[in-house]
Coordinates of all heavy atoms in Angstrom, one line a residue:
Chain S
N1776 N -32.2 -15.6 -3.0 CA -32.3 -17.0 -3.5 C -31.1 -17.3 -4.4 O -30.7 -18.5 -4.5 CB -33.5 -17.2 -4.3 CG -34.8 -16.7 -3.6 OD1 -35.4 -15.7 -4.1 ND2 -35.2 -17.3 -2.5
D1777 N -30.6 -16.3 -5.0 CA -29.6 -16.6 -6.0 C -28.7 -15.3 -6.4 O -29.2 -14.2 -6.0 CB -30.3 -17.1 -7.3 CG -29.3 -17.8 -8.3 OD1 -28.1 -18.1 -7.9 OD2 -29.7 -18.0 -9.4
F1778 N -27.6 -15.6 -7.0 CA -26.9 -14.3 -7.4 C -26.0 -14.7 -8.7 O -25.8 -15.9 -8.9 CB -25.9 -13.8 -6.3 CG -24.9 -14.8 -5.9 CD1 -23.6 -14.7 -6.4 CD2 -25.2 -15.7 -4.9 CE1 -22.7 -15.6 -6.0 CE2 -24.2 -16.6 -4.4 CZ -22.9 -16.6 -5.0
V1779 N -25.7 -13.7 -9.4 CA -24.9 -13.9 -10.6 C -23.6 -13.3 -10.5 O -23.4 -12.2 -9.9 CB -25.6 -13.2 -11.8 CG1 -24.8 -13.5 -13.2 CG2 -27.0 -13.6 -12.0
K1780 N -22.5 -14.0 -10.8 CA -21.2 -13.6 -10.5 C -20.4 -13.7 -11.8 O -20.5 -14.6 -12.6 CB -20.6 -14.6 -9.5 CG -19.2 -14.2 -9.0 CD -18.7 -15.1 -7.8 CE -17.3 -15.0 -7.5 NZ -17.1 -16.0 -6.4
D1781 N -19.6 -12.7 -12.0 CA -18.7 -12.7 -13.2 C -17.5 -13.5 -12.8 O -16.7 -13.0 -12.0 CB -18.4 -11.3 -13.6 CG -17.4 -11.2 -14.8 OD1 -16.7 -12.2 -15.0 OD2 -17.4 -10.1 -15.5
E1782 N -17.4 -14.6 -13.3 CA -16.2 -15.5 -12.9 C -14.9 -15.0 -13.2 O -13.9 -15.3 -12.4 CB -16.5 -16.9 -13.5 CG -17.6 -17.8 -12.9 CD -17.6 -18.0 -11.4 OE1 -16.5 -17.9 -10.8 OE2 -18.7 -18.1 -10.8
A1783 N -14.9 -14.1 -14.2 CA -13.5 -13.7 -14.6 C -13.0 -12.7 -13.5 O -11.9 -12.7 -13.1 CB -13.7 -12.9 -16.0
T1784 N -13.9 -11.8 -13.1 CA -13.5 -10.7 -12.2 C -13.9 -11.1 -10.7 O -13.3 -10.4 -9.8 CB -14.2 -9.3 -12.5 OG1 -15.6 -9.6 -12.3 CG2 -13.9 -9.0 -13.9
G1785 N -14.8 -12.0 -10.6 CA -15.2 -12.3 -9.2 C -16.3 -11.4 -8.7 O -16.7 -11.5 -7.6
E1786 N -16.7 -10.5 -9.5 CA -17.6 -9.4 -9.1 C -19.1 -10.0 -9.2 O -19.5 -10.6 -10.2 CB -17.5 -8.2 -10.1 CG -18.2 -7.0 -9.6 CD -18.1 -5.9 -10.6 OE1 -18.6 -6.0 -11.7 OE2 -17.5 -4.8 -10.3
I1787 N -19.9 -9.6 -8.2 CA -21.3 -9.9 -8.2 C -22.0 -9.0 -9.2 O -21.8 -7.8 -9.0 CB -21.9 -9.8 -6.9 CG1 -21.1 -10.6 -5.8 CG2 -23.4 -10.2 -6.8 CD1 -21.1 -12.1 -5.9
T1788 N -22.7 -9.5 -10.2 CA -23.4 -8.6 -11.1 C -24.8 -8.4 -10.8 O -25.5 -7.5 -11.3 CB -23.1 -9.0 -12.5 OG1 -23.5 -10.4 -12.7 CG2 -21.6 -8.9 -12.9
E1789 N -25.5 -9.4 -10.2 CA -26.9 -9.4 -10.0 C -27.3 -10.3 -8.8 O -26.7 -11.3 -8.7 CB -27.7 -9.8 -11.2 CG -29.0 -9.2 -11.4 CD -29.5 -9.5 -12.9 OE1 -29.0 -8.9 -13.8 OE2 -30.4 -10.3 -13.0
I1790 N -28.2 -9.8 -8.1 CA -28.7 -10.6 -6.9 C -30.2 -10.9 -7.1 O -31.0 -10.0 -7.6 CB -28.5 -9.8 -5.6 CG1 -27.0 -9.5 -5.4 CG2 -29.1 -10.5 -4.4 CD1 -26.8 -8.4 -4.5
H1791 N -30.6 -12.1 -7.0 CA -32.1 -12.4 -7.1 C -32.6 -12.7 -5.8 O -32.2 -13.6 -5.0 CB -32.1 -13.7 -8.0 CG -31.7 -13.4 -9.4 ND1 -31.5 -14.4 -10.4 CD2 -31.4 -12.2 -10.1 CE1 -31.1 -13.9 -11.6 NE2 -31.0 -12.6 -11.4
C1792 N -33.8 -12.1 -5.6 CA -34.5 -12.3 -4.3 C -36.0 -12.5 -4.6 O -36.5 -12.2 -5.7 CB -34.3 -11.0 -3.5 SG -32.7 -10.7 -3.0
T1793 N -36.7 -12.9 -3.5 CA -38.1 -12.9 -3.6 C -38.6 -12.0 -2.4 O -37.9 -12.0 -1.4 CB -38.8 -14.3 -3.5 OG1 -38.1 -15.0 -2.3 CG2 -38.4 -15.2 -4.6
Y1794 N -39.7 -11.4 -2.6 CA -40.2 -10.6 -1.5 C -41.4 -11.2 -0.8 O -42.0 -12.1 -1.4 CB -40.7 -9.2 -2.1 CG -42.0 -9.1 -2.7 CD1 -43.1 -8.4 -2.2 CD2 -42.4 -9.8 -3.9 CE1 -44.3 -8.2 -2.6 CE2 -43.6 -9.7 -4.5 CZ -44.6 -8.9 -3.8 OH -45.8 -8.8 -4.4
I1795 N -41.6 -10.8 0.4 CA -42.7 -11.4 1.1 C -43.9 -10.5 1.1 O -43.8 -9.3 1.7 CB -42.3 -11.6 2.7 CG1 -40.8 -12.2 2.8 CG2 -43.3 -12.3 3.5 CD1 -40.7 -13.6 2.2
P1796 N -44.9 -10.8 0.4 CA -45.9 -9.8 0.0 C -46.7 -9.2 1.2 O -47.0 -8.0 1.2 CB -46.9 -10.5 -0.8 CG -46.1 -11.7 -1.4 CD -45.1 -12.0 -0.5
N1797 N -46.8 -9.9 2.3 CA -47.5 -9.4 3.5 C -46.5 -8.7 4.5 O -46.9 -8.6 5.6 CB -48.4 -10.4 4.1 CG -47.6 -11.6 4.7 OD1 -46.4 -11.6 4.6 ND2 -48.3 -12.5 5.3
S1798 N -45.4 -8.3 4.0 CA -44.4 -7.7 5.0 C -44.2 -6.2 4.8 O -43.3 -5.6 5.2 CB -43.0 -8.4 4.9 OG -42.5 -8.2 3.7
R1799 N -45.1 -5.6 4.0 CA -45.0 -4.3 3.6 C -44.9 -3.3 4.8 O -45.6 -3.5 5.9 CB -46.1 -3.8 2.8 CG -46.0 -2.5 1.9 CD -47.4 -2.1 1.4 NE -47.3 -1.3 0.2 CZ -47.4 -0.1 0.1 NH1 -47.6 0.7 1.1 NH2 -47.4 0.5 -1.1
S1800 N -43.9 -2.4 4.8 CA -43.8 -1.5 5.9 C -45.1 -0.9 6.3 O -45.8 -0.4 5.6 CB -42.8 -0.4 5.4 OG -41.5 -0.7 5.6
G1801 N -45.3 -0.9 7.6 CA -46.5 -0.3 8.2 C -47.7 -1.2 8.2 O -48.6 -1.0 8.9
E1802 N -47.7 -2.2 7.5 CA -48.7 -3.2 7.4 C -48.3 -4.6 7.4 O -48.8 -5.5 6.7 CB -49.8 -2.9 6.2 CG -49.0 -2.7 4.9 CD -49.9 -2.0 3.9 OE1 -50.2 -0.8 4.1 OE2 -50.3 -2.6 2.9
D1803 N -47.2 -4.8 8.1 CA -46.5 -6.1 8.1 C -47.2 -7.0 9.0 O -47.3 -6.9 10.2 CB -45.1 -5.9 8.6 CG -44.2 -7.2 8.6 OD1 -44.8 -8.3 8.3 OD2 -43.0 -7.1 8.9
I1804 N -47.8 -8.2 8.4 CA -48.4 -9.2 9.2 C -47.7 -10.5 9.0 O -48.3 -11.6 9.3 CB -49.9 -9.3 8.8 CG1 -50.1 -9.4 7.3 CG2 -50.7 -8.1 9.4 CD1 -51.5 -9.9 6.9
S1805 N -46.5 -10.4 8.4 CA -45.8 -11.6 8.1 C -45.3 -12.4 9.3 O -45.1 -13.5 9.4 CB -44.5 -11.3 7.3 OG -43.7 -10.7 8.0

Side-chain angles (χ1 to χ4, degrees):
Chain S
N1776 314 108
D1777 197 10
F1778 62 93
V1779 182
K1780 182 171 167 180
D1781 180 334
E1782 289 303 334
T1784 62
E1786 191 183 64
I1787 307 295
T1788 53
E1789 210 168 286
I1790 298 163
H1791 294 170
C1792 295
T1793 49
Y1794 82 114
I1795 314 299
N1797 62 2
S1798 67
R1799 196 193 212 253
S1800 277
E1802 47 200 67
D1803 183 355
I1804 51 166
S1805 70

